[in-house]
Amino acid sequence: MALFPMFLKLTRRKCAVVGAGTIAESKITSLLDAEAEVTVIAPVINIAVRQLASLGCVALIEREFVREDLSGTFLVIAATSNAEVNRAVYEEAQRRGVLCNAVDDPENCDFYFPAVVQRGALQIAISTAGESPALAQRLRVEIEEQLDAGTGDWLTRLGEARREVLATVPAGEQRRQLLHRLSTREICDAAECPSRKLIARAQESAALQRKQGVGS
């Protein structure tokens, strides 16, 4: 089965989690990290999830799942320990066109949760299409060991430099090559920073080209 890899924006989208135990807890946290609006549906709520509700992070519906719970929902996670309940959630999601993940049940999933390596804005997602989550976790550990803890900060500076280049250097081969060169270098705010010097030279060249264009 072919999967389409993507990173999905969930900010302010209505998402539901059916279940409020240990299985559901990490999924709820993942949705909150993505700034989704999360409703948790379960007859029994564990302490951690109830604390999230007390902080206003999630809405609670303290009863068994019913079909109407998916009304207006964009995405749902079936995370109970009851396979029949999880399947009922998946079937209702299919009927309504709602994306569904049933935890540890690949047959009843529209998408899978990957193993994720994160350093700031950098995210590397690893999926085995449900074949071996253990392998995905092993690869995650190996990649984490290779990435410096400061990678996230470096990426932030790189993003700022990229936006500066896009705003001051016209589209073309020079800009493309510059952006690729910057992605392989350290970058800081100091005037003597080699990457800053690259940007300054490109900006000077762009300014000269604009001046020549005006004068011609």
Side-chain angles (χ1 to χ4, degrees), residues 37-54:
E37 294 183 4
V38 182
T39 298
V40 179
I41 305 144
V44 179
I45 312 293
N46 79 3
I47 293 174
V49 176
R50 194 171 291 281
Q51 287 176 337
L52 289 172
S54 69

Side-chain angles (χ1 to χ4, degrees), residues 46-206:
N46 79 3
I47 293 174
V49 176
R50 194 171 291 281
Q51 287 176 337
L52 289 172
S54 69
L55 294 171
C57 299
V58 302
L60 291 183
I61 300 178
E62 297 188 52
R63 57 160 169 74
E64 297 286 351
F65 168 78
V66 296
R67 292 180 176 181
E68 289 72 24
D69 288 333
L70 297 189
S71 177
T73 298
F74 176 75
L75 177 152
V76 62
I77 300 170
T80 78
S81 57
N82 187 319
E84 291 184 3
V85 172
N86 290 348
R87 179 159 185 81
V89 173
Y90 175 74
E91 290 177 348
E92 182 60 20
Q94 291 293 290
R95 192 179 74 81
R96 292 176 179 263
V98 175
L99 292 173
C100 180
N101 171 275
V103 177
D104 294 330
D105 186 2
E107 294 300 317
N108 292 318
C109 290
D110 294 312
F111 66 95
Y112 304 119
F113 279 89
V116 177
V117 179
Q118 186 155 4
R119 296 287 188 276
L122 175 66
Q123 293 188 71
I124 301 173
I126 307 162
S127 172
T128 61
E131 296 291 340
S132 178
L135 173 60
Q137 291 297 332
R138 180 173 69 80
L139 293 173
R140 176 187 62 79
V141 171
E142 292 179 2
I143 294 172
E144 281 189 328
E145 291 173 349
Q146 296 178 45
L147 284 177
D148 186 270
T151 300
D153 292 335
W154 168 76
L155 179 57
T156 297
R157 293 192 296 273
L158 179 61
E160 292 170 351
R162 175 181 177 272
R163 287 186 285 276
E164 181 181 344
V165 169
L166 293 179
T168 58
V169 179
E173 184 63 17
Q174 180 190 27
R175 187 169 81 178
R176 188 188 70 80
Q177 289 188 10
L178 174 60
L179 292 174
H180 278 278
R181 291 181 70 182
L182 290 174
S183 71
T184 66
R185 294 167 167 262
E186 287 297 320
I187 186 167
C188 64
D189 294 328
E192 62 272 16
C193 171
S195 293
R196 284 289 168 194
K197 290 180 179 179
L198 277 177
I199 295 172
R201 284 198 294 269
Q203 290 171 332
E204 290 171 2
S205 175

